[in-house]
Amino acid sequence: LDLDSFVFEIDVDALSERNLPKFSPLLKFPSIRRDLAVIVEETVKGGELIDFIVKIGGNLLTDAFIFDIYKGEHLEHGKKSVALAMTLRHAEKTLEDAEINSVVEKVVSGLAEEYQAVLRN
């Protein structure tokens, strides 16, 4: 006899403990991404910068992440350039330039105050 058989076991308790993803409807208003690069001390951790941006970014900020770190000859010794991306979105309307610029300016001035960050040209 040429039989193929499979046996398996399912741990139903483990399945019931798992958090299932919840559906959330797609937003009909677009998100806006703003990138900026700041020069900070080499000792500043990227995670600290992101946590700080999330803390002061307000409710329009939906995401923030680092997409590049540069250390090299074009920077002062002991400094690094961190390129950051911020995604902004309002659930009920399209954002206006003034609203976007307000968040970006708040982040830039906050980074300057907290980390002595300078915008990279």
Side-chain angles (χ1 to χ4, degrees), residues 33-38 40 43-58 61-69 80-88 103 106-108 110-112 114-115 117:
R33 178 175 158 171
R34 289 291 184 260
D35 297 344
L36 55 103
V38 293
V40 294
T43 56
V44 175
K45 293 181 174 40
E48 287 179 45
L49 295 175
I50 295 300
D51 291 344
F52 183 78
I53 289 170
V54 169
K55 184 174 86 175
I56 69 166
L61 183 70
T62 60
D63 190 23
F65 61 92
I66 295 172
F67 64 90
D68 188 40
I69 296 177
K80 66 181 174 183
S81 172
V82 181
L84 304 156
M86 298 181 296
T87 305
L88 307 165
V103 173
K106 183 177 178 182
V107 167
V108 169
L111 288 172
E114 186 74 17
Y115 297 99

Side-chain angles (χ1 to χ4, degrees), residues 80-105:
K80 66 181 174 183
S81 172
V82 181
L84 304 156
M86 298 181 296
T87 305
L88 307 165
R89 174 182 272 160
H90 194 289
E92 299 172 359
K93 66 176 189 156
T94 299
L95 291 173
E96 296 180 14
D97 287 341
E99 295 169 303
I100 297 163
N101 293 337
S102 173
V103 173
V104 172
E105 289 169 11

Side-chain angles (χ1 to χ4, degrees), residues 13-55:
D13 292 333
L15 287 176
S16 65
E17 292 174 7
R18 183 174 181 265
N19 290 329
L20 296 175
K22 302 231 186 288
F23 172 78
S24 57
L26 296 175
L27 297 175
K28 61 182 177 178
F29 298 101
S31 63
I32 304 296
R33 178 175 158 171
R34 289 291 184 260
D35 297 344
L36 55 103
V38 293
I39 298 172
V40 294
E41 293 293 327
E42 211 169 314
T43 56
V44 175
K45 293 181 174 40
E48 287 179 45
L49 295 175
I50 295 300
D51 291 344
F52 183 78
I53 289 170
V54 169
K55 184 174 86 175

